[in-house]
Amino acid sequence: MNRFRKAVEARDVEALEQSLAPDIVFHSPVRFHPYVGRAAVGAVLRAVIRVFEDFRYTGELHGDADTALVFRAKVGDLELEGIDLGTVDPSTDLVTHLTVFVRPLSAAQALAAAVGKELGQR
């Protein structure tokens, strides 16, 4: 998740998209069905980068196969906490699975509305 983290921290959307496996599976904190594929996930993450303010990683936890990147950010005037839980294919150094958790509910709802607006959804 090192490559992914560096791209996010630099707000480098091109590098971020290139850190994703072509067939990545992304579980959003606000959508039941996953997004699949680099193009779909890249579009969502680009919108999130535009929406988040004061984004910063505050911790990193390592498991056998997964890494959790703990973060804080703001959406409008709401502060949120979250985790990017990712799996990286060691042979390609690309993120194959990404699940994002966000709290509190009010911030998750604001995030859903703001990202939906960025993506042109209602």
Side-chain angles (χ1 to χ4, degrees):
M1 291 286 289
N2 222 15
R3 185 174 168 189
F4 175 88
R5 179 179 180 158
K6 286 180 182 179
V8 171
E9 289 176 327
R11 300 179 66 90
D12 183 341
V13 293
E14 297 302 325
L16 175 58
E17 195 166 321
Q18 292 305 309
S19 75
L20 307 175
D23 58 349
I24 184 171
V25 176
F26 170 58
H27 293 275
S28 160
V30 297
R31 184 173 185 248
F32 181 76
H33 296 287
Y35 294 92
V36 178
R38 183 182 281 163
V41 176
V44 173
L45 295 179
R46 285 172 186 262
V48 170
I49 283 179
R50 289 190 300 266
V51 166
F52 275 163
E53 299 170 24
D54 301 327
F55 180 90
R56 66 220 173 268
Y57 284 116
T58 60
E60 188 168 328
L61 308 167
H62 299 274
D64 291 338
D66 297 324
T67 299
L69 302 174
V70 183
F71 65 86
R72 288 184 170 271
K74 290 178 77 175
V75 176
D77 61 348
L78 296 175
E79 178 89 20
L80 62 84
E81 296 175 296
I83 294 174
D84 290 336
L85 180 62
T87 305
V88 174
D89 180 336
S91 67
T92 63
D93 196 32
L94 298 175
V95 180
T96 59
H97 291 86
L98 180 63
T99 301
V100 177
F101 302 92
V102 173
R103 66 159 304 279
L105 178 60
S106 58
Q109 290 169 328
L111 176 62
V115 170
K117 184 176 178 182
E118 285 289 321
L119 294 173
Q121 301 169 352
R122 294 179 193 245

